[in-house]
Amino acid sequence: MEGSVIKIVGIPDHVTMTWLMMAVVLTFAYILGKNLRKFPDRVQYIFEALTSFIVYTLEDAMGSYGRKFFPLIAGLAVFILVGNLMGLIPGLAQPTANLNTTLALAIISFLVYNYEGIKKHGLVNYIKHFAGPIPWMAPLMFPIEVVSHLSRILSLSFRLFGNMFGDEMVVMVLLMLIPFLVPVAGEFIVFANSFLQTFIFCILTVVYIATAIEEHEEEHVGY
Amino acid sequence: MGKLKDYIERTSYMMVGVQFALAIFIGLAIGYWLDKQFHTFPWLTIFWFFIGLAAGFKNVYRELKKISK
């Protein structure tokens, strides 16, 4: 819990942990991909369930267009989930308990949904949507929209970072107070929260992409 | 599959509270930075604070409209 055992001089902890995680996940994925069977065994079945869950979620939010985003969302899900669960192993640290990692993930999600919005509506129309429906209020509405979009990056990254960092702190404090059996409760919080935060991060990315794509049609309904 | 869709929508409502606070802070940060650039201390900070506040309200309004639909 208290920092990682593996240290490379000059490179911060969360980067070495990310590399270790990448190595483990890539090796695991390679071995799993080599041994695919028609009648899946337990491990393969878990990953098939995960895959179909993500595909259903994407199709529910965006229709058949959503299948395109499967690699992105599945990548985010595996990265965040494994990163969070690494905190349970003594001697390893969570890469997601560092703001730099989560900020990078949030910026990826931000760039993707803006790119998709621009691709769907064209650059001029997408920017015009920022200005709002009333022409003379456009100079006021534009900064408001920009700020509200920037707040999405911050809330995505801060939620993941704060939850993971806070959970780690809870376990550390419990270890200091009662170093027998009680910290297991803290570890359970880490375990449950890992799945919850992964789910929230991925779902919010899906929701952002979906709203960026359909935003244009909403304009004619309201107001 | 309709149940999953409800679930997705409800998850996006969890954002509103945090976003309301963060929008104000982003507004303040932009205003403070601009004031440092132009050496006009209180005015741009105050202006961008209200922009951030409005952005927070706009987020809440957008989610409310989605719920009441």
Side-chain angles (χ1 to χ4, degrees):
Chain A
M1 273 289 138
E2 26 199 305
S4 69
V5 175
I6 307 157
K7 285 200 192 298
I8 301 173
V9 179
I11 296 171
D13 261 2
H14 63 276
V15 179
T16 50
M17 284 297 110
T18 311
W19 289 345
L20 178 70
M21 187 179 91
M22 274 164 60
V24 170
V25 168
L26 285 177
T27 316
F28 184 75
Y30 182 75
I31 292 170
L32 193 72
K34 278 276 169 192
N35 298 328
L36 287 181
R37 291 198 202 100
K38 197 170 182 185
F39 299 103
D41 57 351
R42 241 176 268 165
V43 180
Q44 191 187 335
Y45 185 75
I46 290 171
F47 280 86
E48 279 182 6
L50 181 71
T51 307
S52 58
F53 176 70
I54 295 172
V55 170
Y56 281 144
T57 311
L58 283 168
E59 287 194 341
D60 226 24
M62 280 175 273
S64 58
Y65 187 73
R67 278 187 177 239
K68 215 181 90 180
F69 301 107
F70 174 73
L72 173 77
I73 303 297
L76 280 176
V78 170
F79 185 94
I80 297 172
L81 185 62
V82 178
N84 290 345
L85 289 177
M86 268 173 90
L88 294 173
I89 303 167
L92 298 184
Q94 292 165 317
T96 43
N98 188 300
L99 188 55
N100 294 309
T101 312
T102 59
L103 196 60
L105 294 173
I107 287 173
I108 289 171
S109 142
F110 177 78
L111 289 181
V112 166
Y113 86 74
N114 277 313
Y115 172 75
E116 283 301 321
I118 290 170
K119 210 176 94 181
K120 187 82 193 281
H121 304 304
L123 183 63
V124 179
N125 273 334
Y126 190 66
I127 297 220
K128 210 186 276 174
H129 177 81
F130 275 30
I134 311 162
W136 61 266
M137 273 179 80
L140 193 62
M141 292 303 275
F142 191 74
I144 291 177
E145 275 293 322
V146 170
V147 168
S148 90
H149 275 261
L150 283 179
S151 74
R152 286 178 169 183
I153 299 184
L154 273 195
S155 69
L156 269 182
S157 57
F158 268 91
R159 181 183 306 100
L160 185 56
F161 158 70
N163 273 291
M164 287 303 124
F165 187 72
D167 285 353
E168 210 172 332
M169 279 291 129
V170 167
V171 177
M172 293 257 292
V173 169
L174 283 179
L175 266 176
M176 266 191 288
L177 293 176
I178 315 158
F180 177 70
L181 221 56
V182 181
V184 174
E187 293 281 12
F188 179 72
I189 294 176
V190 175
F191 181 74
N193 211 0
S194 305
F195 287 95
L196 185 64
Q197 293 309 318
T198 310
F199 180 70
I200 288 176
F201 196 100
C202 295
I203 284 291
L204 284 175
T205 307
V206 172
V207 168
Y208 289 158
I209 295 172
T211 46
I213 285 171
E214 72 190 14
E215 228 161 15
H216 209 58
E217 292 137 30
E218 229 171 68
E219 211 172 294
H220 304 291
V221 181
Y223 307 112
Chain B
M1 295 316 289
K3 205 177 143 205
L4 191 61
K5 182 130 192 164
D6 286 354
Y7 215 53
I8 294 171
E9 299 234 313
R10 255 174 239 149
T11 317
S12 76
Y13 301 149
M14 292 169 73
M15 299 288 288
V16 181
V18 185
Q19 267 194 353
F20 186 73
L22 281 174
I24 294 173
F25 277 111
I26 291 173
L28 272 176
I30 293 173
Y32 189 69
W33 182 76
L34 282 176
D35 264 343
K36 258 192 182 169
Q37 301 293 308
F38 300 128
H39 304 289
T40 51
F41 173 61
W43 304 113
L44 282 174
T45 310
I46 294 170
F47 176 71
W48 278 92
F49 168 75
F50 281 110
I51 294 275
L53 197 64
F57 273 119
K58 193 164 184 297
N59 281 335
V60 175
Y61 174 72
R62 194 190 284 151
E63 297 297 324
L64 269 178
K65 217 173 61 180
K66 240 195 277 172
I67 295 173
S68 59
K69 210 191 282 178

Coordinates of all heavy atoms in Angstrom, one line a residue, chain A residues 53 56-57 60-62 139-141 143-152 154-156 158-159 199-200 203-204 206-208 211 215 218 221-223, chain B residues 1-9 11-12 14-15 18-19 22-27 30 47-48 50-52 54-56 58-59 61-62 65-66 69:
Chain A
F53 N -21.1 -7.1 -22.8 CA -21.7 -6.0 -22.0 C -21.4 -4.6 -22.6 O -22.2 -3.7 -22.7 CB -21.3 -6.1 -20.5 CG -21.8 -5.0 -19.7 CD1 -23.1 -4.9 -19.3 CD2 -20.9 -4.0 -19.2 CE1 -23.6 -3.9 -18.5 CE2 -21.4 -3.0 -18.4 CZ -22.7 -2.9 -18.1
Y56 N -23.2 -4.1 -25.9 CA -24.7 -3.7 -25.6 C -24.8 -2.3 -25.2 O -25.7 -1.6 -25.6 CB -25.3 -4.7 -24.6 CG -25.6 -6.0 -25.2 CD1 -25.5 -7.2 -24.4 CD2 -26.1 -6.2 -26.5 CE1 -25.8 -8.4 -24.9 CE2 -26.4 -7.4 -27.0 CZ -26.3 -8.5 -26.2 OH -26.6 -9.7 -26.7
T57 N -23.9 -1.9 -24.2 CA -24.0 -0.5 -23.7 C -23.9 0.5 -24.9 O -24.6 1.4 -25.0 CB -22.9 -0.3 -22.7 OG1 -23.0 -1.3 -21.8 CG2 -23.2 1.0 -22.0
D60 N -26.9 0.5 -27.1 CA -28.0 1.1 -26.5 C -27.9 2.7 -26.6 O -28.9 3.3 -26.7 CB -28.0 0.7 -25.0 CG -29.4 0.3 -24.6 OD1 -30.2 -0.1 -25.5 OD2 -29.7 0.4 -23.4
A61 N -26.7 3.2 -26.4 CA -26.5 4.6 -26.4 C -26.5 5.2 -27.8 O -27.0 6.3 -28.0 CB -25.2 5.0 -25.6
M62 N -25.9 4.6 -28.8 CA -25.7 5.2 -30.1 C -26.2 4.4 -31.3 O -25.9 4.8 -32.4 CB -24.2 5.5 -30.2 CG -23.7 6.7 -29.5 SD -22.0 6.8 -29.7 CE -21.4 5.8 -28.3
P139 N -21.9 36.1 -27.8 CA -20.6 36.3 -27.1 C -20.7 35.9 -25.6 O -19.6 35.6 -25.0 CB -20.5 37.9 -27.2 CG -21.4 38.3 -28.3 CD -22.5 37.3 -28.3
L140 N -21.8 36.0 -25.0 CA -22.0 35.6 -23.6 C -22.0 34.0 -23.5 O -21.4 33.4 -22.6 CB -23.2 36.2 -23.0 CG -23.3 36.2 -21.5 CD1 -22.2 36.9 -20.8 CD2 -24.6 36.7 -21.0
M141 N -22.8 33.4 -24.4 CA -23.0 32.0 -24.3 C -21.7 31.2 -24.6 O -21.5 30.1 -24.1 CB -24.1 31.5 -25.2 CG -25.5 32.1 -24.8 SD -25.9 31.6 -23.2 CE -26.6 30.0 -23.5
P143 N -18.4 31.6 -24.0 CA -17.5 31.3 -22.8 C -18.2 30.3 -21.8 O -17.5 29.5 -21.2 CB -17.1 32.6 -22.2 CG -18.0 33.6 -22.8 CD -18.4 33.1 -24.1
I144 N -19.5 30.5 -21.7 CA -20.2 29.7 -20.7 C -20.1 28.2 -21.2 O -19.8 27.3 -20.4 CB -21.7 30.1 -20.6 CG1 -21.7 31.4 -19.9 CG2 -22.5 29.1 -19.9 CD1 -23.1 32.0 -19.8
E145 N -20.3 28.0 -22.5 CA -20.3 26.6 -23.0 C -18.9 26.0 -22.9 O -18.7 24.9 -22.5 CB -20.7 26.6 -24.5 CG -22.2 26.5 -24.7 CD -22.8 25.2 -24.2 OE1 -22.1 24.2 -24.4 OE2 -23.8 25.2 -23.7
V146 N -17.9 26.9 -23.2 CA -16.5 26.4 -23.1 C -16.2 26.0 -21.7 O -15.6 24.9 -21.4 CB -15.5 27.5 -23.6 CG1 -14.1 27.1 -23.3 CG2 -15.7 27.7 -25.1
V147 N -16.6 26.8 -20.7 CA -16.3 26.5 -19.3 C -17.0 25.2 -18.9 O -16.4 24.3 -18.2 CB -16.7 27.6 -18.4 CG1 -16.7 27.2 -16.9 CG2 -15.7 28.8 -18.5
S148 N -18.3 25.0 -19.4 CA -19.0 23.8 -19.0 C -18.4 22.6 -19.6 O -18.5 21.5 -19.0 CB -20.5 24.0 -19.3 OG -20.8 23.5 -20.5
H149 N -17.8 22.7 -20.8 CA -17.1 21.6 -21.4 C -15.8 21.3 -20.7 O -15.4 20.1 -20.5 CB -16.9 21.8 -22.9 CG -18.0 21.4 -23.7 ND1 -18.1 20.2 -24.3 CD2 -19.2 22.1 -24.0 CE1 -19.3 20.1 -25.0 NE2 -20.0 21.2 -24.8
L150 N -15.1 22.3 -20.2 CA -13.8 22.1 -19.5 C -14.1 21.4 -18.2 O -13.3 20.6 -17.7 CB -13.1 23.4 -19.3 CG -12.4 24.0 -20.5 CD1 -11.7 25.3 -20.2 CD2 -11.3 23.0 -21.0
S151 N -15.2 21.8 -17.6 CA -15.5 21.2 -16.3 C -15.7 19.6 -16.4 O -15.6 18.9 -15.4 CB -16.7 21.8 -15.6 OG -17.9 21.4 -16.3
R152 N -16.0 19.2 -17.6 CA -16.2 17.7 -17.8 C -14.8 17.0 -17.6 O -14.8 16.0 -17.0 CB -16.7 17.4 -19.2 CG -18.2 17.7 -19.3 CD -18.6 17.5 -20.7 NE -20.0 17.5 -20.8 CZ -20.7 17.3 -21.9 NH1 -20.0 17.0 -23.0 NH2 -22.0 17.4 -22.0
L154 N -12.3 18.0 -15.8 CA -11.8 18.1 -14.4 C -12.6 17.1 -13.6 O -12.1 16.4 -12.8 CB -12.0 19.5 -13.9 CG -10.8 20.4 -14.1 CD1 -10.9 21.6 -13.2 CD2 -9.5 19.7 -13.8
S155 N -14.0 17.0 -13.9 CA -14.8 16.2 -13.0 C -14.5 14.7 -13.2 O -14.4 13.9 -12.3 CB -16.3 16.5 -13.1 OG -16.7 16.1 -14.4
L156 N -14.2 14.4 -14.5 CA -13.8 13.0 -14.8 C -12.5 12.6 -14.1 O -12.5 11.6 -13.4 CB -13.6 12.8 -16.3 CG -14.8 12.4 -17.2 CD1 -14.3 12.2 -18.6 CD2 -15.4 11.1 -16.7
F158 N -10.8 14.2 -11.6 CA -10.8 14.3 -10.2 C -11.6 13.2 -9.5 O -11.2 12.8 -8.4 CB -11.3 15.7 -9.8 CG -10.3 16.7 -9.6 CD1 -9.9 17.5 -10.7 CD2 -9.6 16.8 -8.4 CE1 -8.9 18.4 -10.6 CE2 -8.6 17.8 -8.3 CZ -8.3 18.6 -9.4
R159 N -12.7 12.7 -10.1 CA -13.5 11.7 -9.4 C -12.7 10.4 -9.3 O -12.6 9.8 -8.2 CB -14.7 11.4 -10.2 CG -15.6 10.3 -9.5 CD -16.8 9.9 -10.2 NE -17.6 11.1 -10.5 CZ -17.7 11.7 -11.7 NH1 -17.0 11.2 -12.7 NH2 -18.5 12.7 -11.9
F199 N -16.8 1.6 -14.1 CA -18.1 1.7 -14.7 C -18.5 3.1 -15.0 O -18.9 3.5 -16.1 CB -19.1 1.0 -13.9 CG -20.5 1.0 -14.4 CD1 -20.8 0.2 -15.6 CD2 -21.5 1.8 -13.9 CE1 -22.1 0.3 -16.1 CE2 -22.8 1.8 -14.4 CZ -23.0 1.0 -15.5
I200 N -18.3 4.0 -14.0 CA -18.8 5.4 -14.1 C -17.9 6.1 -15.2 O -18.5 6.8 -16.1 CB -18.6 6.1 -12.8 CG1 -19.7 5.6 -11.8 CG2 -18.8 7.6 -13.0 CD1 -19.7 6.2 -10.5
I203 N -19.0 4.8 -18.7 CA -20.4 5.2 -19.0 C -20.4 6.7 -19.4 O -21.1 7.1 -20.3 CB -21.3 4.8 -17.9 CG1 -21.6 3.4 -17.8 CG2 -22.6 5.6 -18.0 CD1 -22.5 2.9 -19.0
L204 N -19.7 7.5 -18.6 CA -19.7 8.9 -18.9 C -19.1 9.2 -20.2 O -19.5 10.1 -20.9 CB -19.0 9.7 -17.7 CG -19.9 9.8 -16.5 CD1 -19.1 10.4 -15.4 CD2 -21.1 10.6 -16.8
V206 N -19.1 7.3 -22.8 CA -20.1 6.9 -23.8 C -21.2 8.0 -23.9 O -21.6 8.4 -25.0 CB -20.8 5.5 -23.4 CG1 -21.9 5.2 -24.3 CG2 -19.8 4.4 -23.5
V207 N -21.6 8.5 -22.7 CA -22.7 9.5 -22.7 C -22.2 10.8 -23.4 O -22.9 11.4 -24.2 CB -23.1 9.8 -21.3 CG1 -24.0 11.0 -21.2 CG2 -23.9 8.7 -20.7
Y208 N -21.0 11.2 -23.1 CA -20.4 12.4 -23.8 C -20.4 12.2 -25.3 O -20.7 13.1 -26.0 CB -19.0 12.7 -23.2 CG -19.0 13.2 -21.8 CD1 -17.9 13.1 -21.0 CD2 -20.2 13.8 -21.3 CE1 -17.9 13.6 -19.7 CE2 -20.2 14.2 -20.0 CZ -19.1 14.1 -19.2 OH -19.1 14.6 -17.9
T211 N -23.9 12.4 -26.7 CA -24.5 13.7 -26.7 C -23.8 14.6 -27.8 O -24.5 15.4 -28.4 CB -24.5 14.4 -25.3 OG1 -23.2 14.3 -24.8 CG2 -25.5 13.9 -24.4
E215 N -26.3 16.1 -30.4 CA -26.6 17.4 -29.9 C -27.4 18.3 -30.9 O -28.3 19.1 -30.5 CB -25.3 18.1 -29.6 CG -25.3 18.8 -28.2 CD -23.9 19.1 -27.8 OE1 -23.0 19.0 -28.6 OE2 -23.7 19.3 -26.6
E218 N -31.3 18.0 -30.9 CA -31.9 18.5 -29.7 C -32.3 20.0 -29.8 O -33.3 20.5 -29.2 CB -30.9 18.4 -28.5 CG -31.5 17.7 -27.3 CD -30.5 17.4 -26.3 OE1 -29.9 18.4 -25.7 OE2 -30.2 16.3 -26.1
V221 N -35.8 21.0 -30.9 CA -37.0 20.5 -30.1 C -37.3 21.5 -29.0 O -38.5 22.0 -28.9 CB -36.7 19.2 -29.4 CG1 -37.9 18.7 -28.6 CG2 -36.3 18.2 -30.5
G222 N -36.3 21.9 -28.2 CA -36.6 22.8 -27.0 C -36.7 24.2 -27.3 O -37.0 24.7 -28.4
Y223 N -36.5 25.0 -26.3 CA -36.6 26.5 -26.3 C -37.9 27.0 -26.8 O -38.1 27.6 -27.8 CB -35.4 27.1 -27.1 CG -34.1 26.6 -26.7 CD1 -33.3 25.7 -27.5 CD2 -33.6 26.9 -25.4 CE1 -32.1 25.3 -27.1 CE2 -32.4 26.4 -25.0 CZ -31.6 25.6 -25.9 OH -30.4 25.1 -25.4
Chain B
M1 N -33.3 -4.4 -22.8 CA -32.2 -3.4 -22.9 C -32.6 -2.0 -22.5 O -31.8 -1.1 -22.4 CB -31.7 -3.4 -24.4 CG -31.0 -4.6 -24.9 SD -29.9 -5.3 -23.7 CE -28.6 -4.2 -23.7
G2 N -34.0 -1.8 -22.4 CA -34.4 -0.5 -22.0 C -33.9 -0.1 -20.6 O -33.7 1.0 -20.3
K3 N -33.8 -1.2 -19.7 CA -33.3 -1.0 -18.4 C -31.9 -0.4 -18.3 O -31.6 0.5 -17.5 CB -33.4 -2.3 -17.6 CG -33.5 -2.2 -16.2 CD -33.6 -3.6 -15.6 CE -32.9 -3.6 -14.2 NZ -32.4 -4.9 -13.9
L4 N -31.1 -0.9 -19.2 CA -29.7 -0.4 -19.2 C -29.6 1.1 -19.6 O -28.8 1.8 -19.1 CB -28.9 -1.2 -20.2 CG -27.4 -1.1 -20.2 CD1 -26.8 -1.4 -18.8 CD2 -26.7 -1.9 -21.3
K5 N -30.5 1.5 -20.5 CA -30.5 2.9 -21.0 C -30.9 3.8 -19.8 O -30.3 4.8 -19.7 CB -31.6 3.0 -22.1 CG -31.6 4.4 -22.7 CD -31.6 4.4 -24.2 CE -31.3 5.8 -24.7 NZ -30.9 5.9 -26.0
D6 N -31.9 3.4 -19.0 CA -32.2 4.2 -17.8 C -31.0 4.3 -16.9 O -30.7 5.4 -16.4 CB -33.3 3.5 -17.0 CG -34.7 3.6 -17.7 OD1 -34.7 4.4 -18.7 OD2 -35.6 3.0 -17.3
Y7 N -30.3 3.2 -16.8 CA -29.1 3.2 -15.9 C -28.1 4.2 -16.4 O -27.5 4.9 -15.6 CB -28.5 1.8 -16.0 CG -27.9 1.3 -14.7 CD1 -28.7 1.3 -13.5 CD2 -26.6 0.8 -14.6 CE1 -28.1 0.9 -12.3 CE2 -26.1 0.4 -13.5 CZ -26.8 0.4 -12.3 OH -26.3 0.0 -11.1
I8 N -27.8 4.2 -17.7 CA -26.9 5.1 -18.3 C -27.3 6.6 -18.0 O -26.5 7.4 -17.5 CB -26.7 4.9 -19.8 CG1 -26.1 3.5 -20.0 CG2 -25.9 6.0 -20.4 CD1 -26.1 3.1 -21.5
E9 N -28.6 6.8 -18.2 CA -29.0 8.2 -18.0 C -28.9 8.6 -16.5 O -28.4 9.7 -16.2 CB -30.5 8.3 -18.4 CG -30.8 8.0 -19.8 CD -31.5 9.1 -20.5 OE1 -32.5 9.5 -19.9 OE2 -31.1 9.4 -21.6
T11 N -26.8 7.6 -14.4 CA -25.4 7.8 -14.0 C -24.9 9.2 -14.4 O -24.1 9.8 -13.7 CB -24.5 6.7 -14.7 OG1 -25.1 5.5 -14.7 CG2 -23.1 6.7 -14.1
S12 N -25.4 9.7 -15.5 CA -25.0 11.0 -15.9 C -25.6 12.1 -15.0 O -25.1 13.2 -15.0 CB -25.4 11.3 -17.4 OG -26.8 11.5 -17.5
M14 N -25.4 11.9 -11.9 CA -24.5 11.9 -10.7 C -23.4 13.0 -10.9 O -22.8 13.5 -10.0 CB -23.7 10.6 -10.6 CG -24.6 9.5 -10.2 SD -23.8 7.9 -10.3 CE -22.7 8.0 -8.9
M15 N -23.3 13.5 -12.2 CA -22.3 14.5 -12.5 C -22.7 15.9 -12.0 O -21.8 16.7 -11.7 CB -22.1 14.6 -14.0 CG -21.7 13.4 -14.7 SD -20.0 13.2 -14.3 CE -19.3 14.5 -15.3
V18 N -21.0 17.8 -8.9 CA -19.6 18.1 -9.0 C -19.3 19.1 -10.1 O -18.5 20.0 -9.9 CB -18.9 16.8 -9.3 CG1 -17.4 17.0 -9.3 CG2 -19.2 15.7 -8.3
Q19 N -20.1 18.9 -11.2 CA -19.8 19.9 -12.3 C -20.2 21.3 -11.9 O -19.5 22.2 -12.4 CB -20.6 19.4 -13.5 CG -19.8 18.5 -14.4 CD -20.5 18.4 -15.7 OE1 -21.6 18.8 -16.0 NE2 -19.8 17.7 -16.6
L22 N -17.2 22.6 -10.0 CA -16.0 22.7 -10.8 C -16.1 23.8 -11.9 O -15.1 24.5 -12.2 CB -15.7 21.4 -11.5 CG -15.1 20.3 -10.6 CD1 -15.0 19.0 -11.3 CD2 -13.7 20.8 -10.2
A23 N -17.3 24.0 -12.4 CA -17.5 25.1 -13.4 C -17.1 26.4 -12.8 O -16.4 27.2 -13.5 CB -18.9 25.1 -13.9
I24 N -17.5 26.7 -11.6 CA -17.2 28.0 -10.9 C -15.7 28.1 -10.8 O -15.1 29.1 -11.0 CB -17.9 28.1 -9.6 CG1 -19.4 28.1 -9.8 CG2 -17.4 29.3 -8.8 CD1 -20.1 28.0 -8.5
F25 N -15.0 27.0 -10.3 CA -13.6 27.0 -10.1 C -12.8 27.3 -11.5 O -11.8 28.0 -11.5 CB -13.1 25.8 -9.5 CG -13.2 25.8 -8.0 CD1 -14.1 25.0 -7.4 CD2 -12.5 26.7 -7.2 CE1 -14.3 25.0 -6.0 CE2 -12.6 26.7 -5.9 CZ -13.6 25.9 -5.3
I26 N -13.3 26.6 -12.5 CA -12.6 26.9 -13.8 C -12.8 28.3 -14.2 O -11.9 29.0 -14.7 CB -13.2 25.9 -14.9 CG1 -12.8 24.5 -14.6 CG2 -12.7 26.3 -16.3 CD1 -13.4 23.5 -15.4
G27 N -14.0 28.9 -14.0 CA -14.2 30.3 -14.4 C -13.3 31.2 -13.6 O -12.6 32.1 -14.2
I30 N -9.7 30.9 -15.0 CA -9.5 31.6 -16.2 C -9.4 33.1 -15.9 O -8.5 33.8 -16.4 CB -10.6 31.3 -17.2 CG1 -10.5 29.8 -17.7 CG2 -10.5 32.2 -18.4 CD1 -11.7 29.4 -18.5
F47 N -15.8 38.9 -13.4 CA -16.5 38.6 -14.6 C -16.6 37.1 -14.9 O -17.6 36.6 -15.1 CB -15.9 39.4 -15.7 CG -16.6 39.1 -17.0 CD1 -17.9 39.6 -17.3 CD2 -15.9 38.4 -18.0 CE1 -18.5 39.3 -18.5 CE2 -16.5 38.1 -19.2 CZ -17.8 38.6 -19.5
W48 N -15.4 36.5 -14.8 CA -15.3 35.1 -15.2 C -15.9 34.2 -14.1 O -16.3 33.1 -14.3 CB -13.9 34.7 -15.5 CG -13.5 35.0 -16.9 CD1 -12.9 36.1 -17.3 CD2 -13.7 34.2 -18.0 NE1 -12.8 36.1 -18.7 CE2 -13.2 34.9 -19.1 CE3 -14.3 32.9 -18.2 CZ2 -13.3 34.4 -20.4 CZ3 -14.3 32.4 -19.5 CH2 -13.9 33.2 -20.6
F50 N -18.7 35.0 -12.7 CA -20.1 34.9 -13.0 C -20.3 34.0 -14.2 O -21.4 33.3 -14.4 CB -20.7 36.3 -13.2 CG -21.0 37.0 -11.9 CD1 -20.2 38.0 -11.5 CD2 -22.0 36.5 -11.1 CE1 -20.5 38.6 -10.3 CE2 -22.3 37.1 -9.9 CZ -21.5 38.2 -9.5
I51 N -19.4 34.0 -15.2 CA -19.4 33.1 -16.3 C -19.5 31.7 -15.9 O -20.3 30.9 -16.3 CB -18.3 33.4 -17.3 CG1 -18.3 34.7 -17.9 CG2 -18.2 32.3 -18.4 CD1 -19.2 34.9 -19.1
G52 N -18.6 31.4 -14.9 CA -18.5 30.0 -14.4 C -19.8 29.6 -13.7 O -20.3 28.5 -13.9
A54 N -22.8 30.8 -14.3 CA -23.8 30.6 -15.3 C -23.6 29.3 -16.0 O -24.6 28.6 -16.3 CB -23.7 31.7 -16.4
A55 N -22.3 28.9 -16.2 CA -22.1 27.6 -16.8 C -22.6 26.4 -15.9 O -23.2 25.5 -16.4 CB -20.6 27.4 -17.1
G56 N -22.4 26.6 -14.6 CA -22.9 25.6 -13.7 C -24.4 25.5 -13.7 O -24.9 24.4 -13.8
K58 N -26.2 26.3 -16.2 CA -26.6 25.8 -17.5 C -26.6 24.2 -17.5 O -27.4 23.6 -18.1 CB -25.8 26.3 -18.6 CG -26.3 26.1 -20.0 CD -25.7 27.0 -21.0 CE -26.3 26.7 -22.4 NZ -26.1 25.4 -22.8
N59 N -25.5 23.7 -16.8 CA -25.4 22.2 -16.7 C -26.6 21.7 -16.0 O -27.2 20.7 -16.4 CB -24.2 21.9 -16.0 CG -22.9 21.9 -16.8 OD1 -23.0 21.8 -18.0 ND2 -21.8 22.1 -16.2
Y61 N -29.6 23.0 -15.7 CA -30.8 23.2 -16.5 C -30.9 22.2 -17.6 O -31.9 21.6 -17.8 CB -30.7 24.6 -17.1 CG -31.8 24.9 -18.1 CD1 -33.1 25.1 -17.6 CD2 -31.6 25.0 -19.5 CE1 -34.1 25.3 -18.5 CE2 -32.6 25.2 -20.3 CZ -33.9 25.4 -19.9 OH -34.9 25.6 -20.8
R62 N -29.7 21.9 -18.2 CA -29.7 20.9 -19.2 C -30.2 19.5 -18.7 O -31.0 18.8 -19.3 CB -28.3 20.8 -19.8 CG -28.2 20.1 -21.1 CD -26.8 19.8 -21.5 NE -26.1 21.0 -22.0 CZ -24.8 21.2 -21.9 NH1 -24.0 20.3 -21.3 NH2 -24.3 22.3 -22.3
K65 N -33.9 19.5 -17.9 CA -34.7 19.3 -19.1 C -34.7 17.9 -19.5 O -35.8 17.4 -20.0 CB -34.1 20.2 -20.2 CG -35.2 20.9 -21.0 CD -34.6 21.9 -22.0 CE -33.7 21.2 -23.0 NZ -33.1 22.2 -23.9
K66 N -33.6 17.2 -19.4 CA -33.6 15.8 -19.8 C -34.5 14.9 -18.9 O -35.2 14.0 -19.4 CB -32.1 15.3 -19.7 CG -31.6 14.8 -21.0 CD -30.3 13.9 -20.9 CE -29.1 14.8 -20.8 NZ -27.9 13.9 -20.4
K69 N -38.3 15.5 -19.5 CA -38.8 15.2 -20.9 C -39.7 13.9 -20.8 O -39.3 13.0 -20.1 CB -37.7 15.0 -21.8 CG -38.0 15.3 -23.3 CD -37.0 14.9 -24.2 CE -35.8 15.8 -24.2 NZ -34.7 15.3 -25.1

